[in-house]
Amino acid sequence: MESMKIKCEIVTPLLMHGADGKRAELREQSFKGVMRFWWRAINGNLSLKELKEKEAEIFGDTSKKSSFRMRIKNRNVSEISYFKYKKELQNKYGLKYLWYPIMIAKQKDTPWLIEKGSFEIEFYFKDEKSKSEIIKVLNYINFFGNFGARSRRGAGSIKFESDDLIKFTGNSKEESREFIENNFEKNTNENYSTFAKEIYTFDSHNSWEEALNYVGELFSNFKREHEGEVFKTPAFGFPIRHRNGETFLGVKAKNNKCEFLERRASPLIFKIYKANDNNYFPLIIWLEGKLLRDGYKIGKKIKKCDKNELKEVDESLLVEFFNSLKKENYVKW
């Protein structure tokens, strides 16, 4: 049986809880779920039939076991209470915007797993083929993915280290683009979220807070300038709740009745990659994939539907957001 051990460092605060929601917890199943998502995302070249068959071979399904086991061990993580952490973020405008739903939630004093915690994951594989598939997935997650709540907005970035994984130690955004071009590939499919339409890498910062707050401010300033474009903003993910009380989401009109698609994750992932103690690179990954299922359009959440008031997904604001960035501050792949 093949095996592998990776060292893990929590780079940005991780919000991952047990079933009771009362305590922070590192959960193997949560990690497996993210790995499964990224395996699909990097295999957009496969047909849907091939995708399902190969995914089942690796991760298992109702008829077969997973081809690997994993165990989290040597946990060395510290917690900080939700309310204390919320207070520490008051002067970080960009971070507050990215984590806005958490900042305004009337929730219990739930602990976070704070940054700089560490742990190890041991993997046991059925065969070498299974191991190579998981190594590939972990490399992509290491540079582009996150875990836990608000993972698409920069929370839950974890740095993996192992002799089996590739490593970036550069100091510039140009070096990071070259590294990405040499080690990763795009396999897009419009039918589901796949890697990737575009990737933007920015200048490094001295801390994860500075890095994430920087891209958070770019994003929040743009969104606030365009918050009145109610049919376009859902392209960033929905539901979108506006100040007038209206909620926009996916809607299908059927005999004057509404069928709602309540939630769709943002196609944008904000990632902080830690190259070393002095270089934290912000990245924004734009995933490929249809926002809505067939038959759905963007509309208000109301009881009675008028199909003439529904509109197709409009990605023009996404394009405009990236066009608004100062080109000297990022490199694109």
Side-chain angles (χ1 to χ4, degrees):
M1 178 176 284
E2 298 285 335
S3 64
M4 177 177 67
K5 180 187 292 185
I6 63 173
K7 295 180 179 179
C8 306
E9 178 188 352
I10 300 173
V11 177
T12 64
L14 173 65
L15 185 56
M16 186 179 289
H17 296 131
D20 59 7
K22 295 180 179 179
R23 59 191 179 90
E25 182 179 334
L26 296 168
R27 294 170 56 85
E28 282 92 349
Q29 284 305 112
S30 296
F31 280 82
K32 272 193 172 184
V34 173
M35 291 164 62
R36 185 186 284 263
F37 167 83
W38 275 96
W39 185 87
R40 293 190 202 116
I42 63 178
N43 284 284
N45 57 308
L46 301 177
S47 69
L48 189 58
K49 183 175 182 294
E50 290 177 305
L51 189 80
K52 289 182 177 180
E53 290 175 351
K54 292 190 175 183
E55 180 183 340
E57 289 176 6
I58 299 167
F59 294 95
D61 61 12
T62 55
S63 63
K64 65 184 71 172
K65 293 182 179 180
S66 171
S67 66
F68 69 96
R69 292 184 291 111
M70 60 181 289
R71 183 172 62 135
I72 296 174
K73 56 184 294 186
N74 295 331
R75 294 168 168 85
N76 181 23
V77 296
S78 57
E79 296 181 353
I80 186 172
S81 75
Y82 164 78
F83 290 118
K84 183 178 179 182
Y85 203 75
K86 182 177 178 178
K87 186 176 181 180
E88 291 184 4
L89 292 179
Q90 288 306 309
N91 296 323
K92 296 180 175 66
Y93 177 71
L95 265 170
K96 282 175 63 180
Y97 186 84
L98 291 175
W99 297 347
Y100 179 73
I102 296 172
M103 294 298 102
I104 65 168
K106 295 179 181 179
Q107 54 182 288
K108 300 174 183 178
D109 193 12
T110 305
W112 291 62
L113 292 175
I114 197 63
E115 76 274 9
K116 297 183 181 178
S118 64
F119 56 96
E120 294 179 350
I121 303 179
E122 286 186 347
F123 289 91
Y124 302 92
F125 304 97
K126 178 181 177 182
D127 50 37
E128 183 63 35
K129 180 181 177 182
S130 173
K131 182 179 180 180
S132 66
E133 289 282 353
I134 296 304
I135 287 174
K136 183 178 179 181
V137 169
L138 292 175
N139 278 324
Y140 276 83
I141 296 174
N142 207 10
F143 290 92
F144 308 114
N146 301 309
F147 296 85
R150 302 307 287 170
S151 60
R152 295 208 180 188
R153 292 296 179 259
S157 177
I158 297 175
K159 183 176 181 179
F160 300 144
E161 289 190 328
S162 167
D163 291 339
D164 293 295
L165 303 177
I166 57 177
K167 186 176 182 180
F168 172 69
T169 56
N171 296 308
S172 71
K173 59 182 183 294
E174 290 78 16
E175 289 177 291
S176 71
R177 179 175 64 181
E178 182 180 359
F179 177 83
I180 291 170
E181 288 176 342
N182 292 337
N183 290 282
F184 301 98
E185 60 182 353
K186 297 178 181 179
N187 280 316
T188 59
N189 187 320
E190 67 172 15
N191 292 314
Y192 58 96
S193 294
T194 48
F195 182 88
K197 184 174 288 189
E198 293 176 355
I199 299 170
Y200 294 77
T201 307
F202 300 81
D203 290 314
S204 69
H205 295 255
N206 292 325
S207 69
W208 75 263
E209 292 102 329
E210 290 179 12
L212 191 54
N213 192 62
Y214 170 74
V215 288
E217 286 188 355
L218 294 176
F219 189 55
S220 62
N221 290 337
F222 179 84
K223 288 285 292 294
R224 291 180 190 281
E225 289 175 5
H226 297 274
E227 62 183 359
E229 300 181 56
V230 294
F231 281 96
K232 293 183 179 181
T233 51
F236 290 96
F238 58 78
I240 298 289
R241 296 180 179 90
H242 292 277
R243 293 179 182 178
N244 62 5
E246 292 179 333
T247 298
F248 284 76
L249 67 179
V251 183
K252 181 192 288 186
K254 192 173 182 180
N255 299 324
N256 291 328
K257 292 184 179 181
C258 299
E259 292 183 12
F260 298 117
L261 185 59
E262 298 279 354
R263 187 171 298 276
R264 185 68 164 92
S266 172
L268 303 185
I269 297 175
F270 290 73
K271 170 73 176 182
I272 303 301
Y273 178 74
K274 179 183 177 181
N276 53 56
D277 287 339
N278 298 312
N279 285 294
Y280 293 78
F281 287 90
L283 295 88
I284 302 178
I285 300 95
W286 184 359
L287 298 176
E288 179 67 272
K290 291 193 299 186
L291 186 74
L292 295 176
R293 300 173 190 164
D294 291 341
Y296 284 85
K297 295 183 179 182
I298 298 297
K300 298 178 187 179
K301 189 172 185 179
I302 53 179
K303 291 183 178 180
K304 192 173 182 179
C305 278
D306 182 350
K307 65 180 181 181
N308 296 317
E309 294 183 358
L310 306 180
K311 295 188 178 182
E312 299 288 349
V313 174
D314 185 344
E315 290 188 342
S316 61
L317 275 189
L318 283 163
V319 175
E320 190 176 340
F321 166 61
F322 289 112
N323 288 340
S324 73
L325 303 175
K326 293 182 179 179
K327 289 184 169 52
E328 66 268 21
N329 294 336
Y330 71 85
V331 291
K332 173 184 172 184
W333 179 55

